[in-house]
Amino acid sequence: MKSMIHFLKNWTLPIAMLSGVAGYFIYVNIPFLAPTRPFVNRAVDFLQPVLIFLMLFLSFCKISLHDLRPCRWHLWLLLVQAGSFTLLGGILLLFRDMSAHTLMEGAMICLICPTATAGAVITQRLGGNAAHLATYTILINLVTAFLVPLIVPLVHPHPGLAFANAFALILGKVFPLLLCPFIAAILIRYLLPHIHQILLKYGGISFYLWAVALALAIAVTTKSIVHSEVSVWYQSALALIALACCGLQFYIGKRIGKRYDDTISAGQSLGQKNTVFAIWMGYTFFTPVTAVAGGFYSVWHNIVNSWQLYRQRKREEAEEAMNRE
């Protein structure tokens, strides 16, 4: 029994990912459950933000207001995301009839997509600075809320979707889930310090809440890929685009972070994305086909996180063995 618990604890993320894929296919292939699908969709829509709120709340309980301050690497990462997104937008404006138009749009949402709201959970687990990542998450959401409405209508026009409307849409989608847990954590810290101390003891639960949220997100990703109307070859191309963007952003983030002795935080800030937002952005501002790139990015960045956690666990086990000797 202990070995089973140890296995589940060590391989939480891959198990959550496989559970999401398997759970989706098992559910949709049970005929008598078909009438429950509208209710399940609504339940998932409700559960995802609740889980994200709880994860962020527990993570923010560990962070003081004094810890939230800009770092030099924040500026470099903002320039990377904003610059690459603007560059691809400019290329699409110059070559409107290019055959790879949708692939470029897929790359755009993978590059500008803000840091995952649950990024602090993995950053803490890997030994990084969660406060630095939380600060960057707020900054990149502000940049995304301004830049996407400015660039996307030029690249992919939508009648009636002006800058103000798109700006309000993005703020309404992201900021309630980002600010409300933060405000709640600050209020608990200063108004109810005893409860705050109790919550600090259970901060590790946020990782397992994230595993449940990940299983749901992968199930949603699987659904978006399965129901996509594009060919397998085009989906494969979108998958490769997402993989390239994922690998490149983790690499650049870590390289920049290394210069400022904050490799883990910077790597996670640039590489780990809010892919639910990316999928929504694809559907809202581009096309359902473009949204598939966000779905594939979800798979890739969670594989990277699983590998990083595996390596971190091996290092910790090696250190424990050395200390025992």
Side-chain angles (χ1 to χ4, degrees), residues 16-17 19-21 210-220:
M17 293 173 68
S19 298
V21 176
W210 184 65
V212 177
L214 173 60
L216 290 175
I218 292 295
V220 171

Side-chain angles (χ1 to χ4, degrees), residues 89-168:
I91 292 172
L92 287 179
L93 278 173
L94 290 174
F95 305 98
R96 289 186 176 274
D97 297 326
M98 66 186 304
S99 57
H101 197 280
T102 303
L103 296 178
M104 293 280 281
E105 290 178 348
M108 286 177 71
I109 66 170
C110 289
L111 292 168
I112 196 58
C113 183
T115 305
T117 47
V121 177
I122 296 297
T123 300
Q124 286 175 340
R125 199 83 170 186
L126 293 171
N129 191 316
H132 289 174
L133 182 136
T135 305
Y136 184 77
T137 302
I138 295 169
L139 292 173
I140 188 56
N141 273 285
L142 287 170
V143 170
T144 301
F146 175 78
L147 203 57
V148 170
L150 196 66
I151 301 294
V152 171
L154 301 174
V155 175
H156 198 103
H158 278 270
L161 192 62
F163 174 83
N165 294 336
F167 184 75

